Amino acid sequence: MVVDPHKLRSHVFDKTGIKVDTDDPIFALVALNEAVLAETVERQLAVLNAATDALAAQACAAGGLPPPATPVTVAMPATRWFTPREWRLLGAAAIVSLACALLVLGGAALLWHQP
């Protein structure tokens, strides 16, 4: 999935009225974002495929599915679910979500108990 710089340039201009050149550093950021996203999607697909194969093997062993035409491997891939950076980002997102929820609940409690 490669973003067309000219299409992205016109989209930015339509949304913000700001003209950016195709040599602008923002396009390097877009390319970096695409690369990170592609790598993360590949890792998650590998984990999902391994889990699907393991589930199919369990269903076959329990008699829920007919045996597959080729043997199913149950071994999980060597890749991890998330990288340490992704775990940190998930943790930060969880903390922010909890703080926002507490802020909303606190505001509702203050409004509810007014005389």
Side-chain angles (χ1 to χ4, degrees):
M1 175 176 110
V2 176
V3 175
D4 180 21
H6 296 289
K7 184 188 234 183
L8 186 59
R9 179 179 178 247
S10 61
H11 179 72
V12 169
F13 181 73
D14 292 342
K15 290 289 185 179
T16 64
I18 298 172
K19 292 182 182 180
V20 292
D21 189 22
T22 54
D23 295 332
D24 196 286
I26 195 167
F27 289 106
L29 182 62
V30 170
L32 179 64
N33 189 21
E34 286 177 349
V36 170
L37 180 63
E39 180 184 332
T40 303
V41 167
E42 286 177 16
R43 277 197 326 266
Q44 295 302 321
L45 282 176
V47 170
L48 183 62
N49 286 337
T52 302
D53 291 344
L55 184 61
Q58 289 177 0
C60 288
L65 288 177
T70 59
V72 175
T73 58
V74 183
M76 295 295 284
T79 60
R80 293 184 273 183
W81 282 85
F82 296 107
T83 63
R85 180 179 181 274
E86 290 168 338
W87 279 115
R88 287 191 301 271
L89 289 174
L90 284 170
I95 290 169
V96 169
S97 297
L98 286 173
C100 289
L102 290 174
L103 182 66
V104 167
L105 289 174
L110 285 174
L111 292 175
W112 183 262
H113 292 291
Q114 284 185 346

